Amino acid sequence: DTAVSQTPKYLVTQMGNDKSIKCEQNLGHDTMYWYKQDSKKFLKIMFSYNNKELIINETVPNRFSPKSPDKAHLNLHINSLELGDSAVYFCASSLYGENTEAFFGQGTRLTVV
Amino acid sequence: GEDVEQSLFLSVREGDSSVINCTYTDSSSTYLYWYKQEPGAGLQLLTYIFSNMDMKQDQRLTVLLNKKDKHLSLRIADTQTGDSAIYFCAESISGTYKYIFGTGTRLKVLA
């Protein structure tokens, strides 16, 4: 199936741990994103990559490091997890350019305990 | 600045029309979108409108754009219980590849 897929869907981990969330798209898109949705459902962009190059880096702590090994993948690594990192993280992809609607993954619910 | 606002809740009766409103601040936005998020799911694109249009209709959905007032609305005709979800408006900012999302409106459809 063509889609944006994220793994894992749920992640529960202790404070201080390091974890990664993976995202893959097979839509042929060249731009990928990470969004964070907090408990109040607010969606904020974190990062965007176009052709493996970082093009958007909002004010995100440097404990968050995105990595794009190729156009179809954008992984998010988080070091030294904190309670406030608990949220749902959405990956998305689109074609480069305007009116390129973004397609979203199903989200990864991260709970830091 | 980039800011998109929506009312947080809307409750309607099944069969009625729903109107979800959105205001945005960035006048350089080129496209505006409506996304639907069902419980535990990702965001599904419902429809979009180019900033030089003022209306777009797609089956039960009607999007109205008032560019002067920076106001966007989504009308759902004959609202069904399956329409219960959170609806996000979003704008893409010209010259960037950033989508700014609204705060989301939780639509509850009463049977």
Side-chain angles (χ1 to χ4, degrees):
Chain A
D1 288 347
T2 54
V4 180
S5 58
Q6 298 178 226
T7 53
K9 191 170 180 182
Y10 300 98
L11 183 54
V12 181
T13 188
Q14 290 188 323
M15 277 175 57
N17 283 351
D18 303 338
K19 289 292 178 187
S20 291
I21 308 171
K22 295 186 177 181
C23 180
E24 175 181 6
Q25 55 90 10
N26 59 2
L27 297 163
H29 292 163
D30 54 6
T31 306
M32 295 184 73
Y33 311 80
W34 278 109
Y35 282 83
K36 179 180 180 181
Q37 186 177 44
D38 63 22
S39 57
K40 293 181 182 172
K41 302 295 186 184
F42 298 152
L43 269 161
K44 293 286 182 188
I45 190 164
M46 300 171 69
F47 301 103
S48 176
Y49 270 73
N50 172 251
N51 282 323
K52 303 192 296 174
E53 288 193 23
L54 183 65
I55 56 172
I56 296 172
N57 183 355
E58 293 293 287
T59 49
V60 177
N62 58 15
R63 296 182 295 104
F64 290 78
S65 51
K67 290 215 172 22
S68 182
D70 55 55
K71 286 194 309 184
H73 295 84
L74 180 62
N75 303 323
L76 183 65
H77 188 74
I78 316 169
N79 288 330
S80 303
L81 277 153
E82 300 178 358
L83 293 176
D85 297 331
S86 295
V88 181
Y89 292 84
F90 284 101
C91 175
S93 72
S94 73
L95 287 171
Y96 191 70
E98 298 183 1
N99 188 33
T100 55
E101 55 264 34
F103 290 80
F104 283 78
Q106 293 299 296
T108 296
R109 183 176 293 277
L110 172 65
T111 304
V112 183
V113 297
Chain B
E2 301 158 353
D3 200 13
V4 181
E5 302 216 346
Q6 302 176 236
S7 51
L8 291 180
F9 299 99
L10 177 65
S11 183
V12 299
R13 294 211 170 274
E14 193 174 16
D16 289 350
S17 291
S18 309
V19 179
I20 303 170
N21 294 304
C22 172
T23 56
Y24 59 97
T25 56
D26 195 313
S27 57
S28 66
S29 59
T30 50
Y31 290 90
L32 296 124
Y33 307 83
W34 283 103
Y35 282 86
K36 177 183 181 182
Q37 184 180 29
E38 294 183 79
L43 288 95
Q44 172 198 356
L45 177 68
L46 287 179
T47 187
Y48 64 89
I49 189 167
F50 185 42
S51 59
N52 71 354
M53 295 170 67
D54 50 24
M55 186 180 103
K56 181 178 180 180
Q57 186 149 6
D58 184 359
Q59 299 182 332
R60 291 192 297 126
L61 305 179
T62 303
V63 179
L64 294 177
L65 175 61
N66 181 329
K67 197 170 181 184
K68 177 175 166 289
D69 294 340
K70 300 193 184 94
H71 183 263
L72 181 73
S73 68
L74 174 71
R75 180 176 178 269
I76 306 173
D78 186 24
T79 314
Q80 303 297 308
T81 53
D83 295 324
S84 293
I86 302 176
Y87 291 80
F88 291 91
C89 65
E91 56 173 344
S92 64
I93 310 299
S94 179
T96 77
Y97 300 93
K98 198 157 55 165
Y99 297 80
I100 306 298
F101 282 83
T103 47
T105 299
R106 190 180 294 272
L107 174 65
K108 184 172 181 179
V109 182
L110 306 170

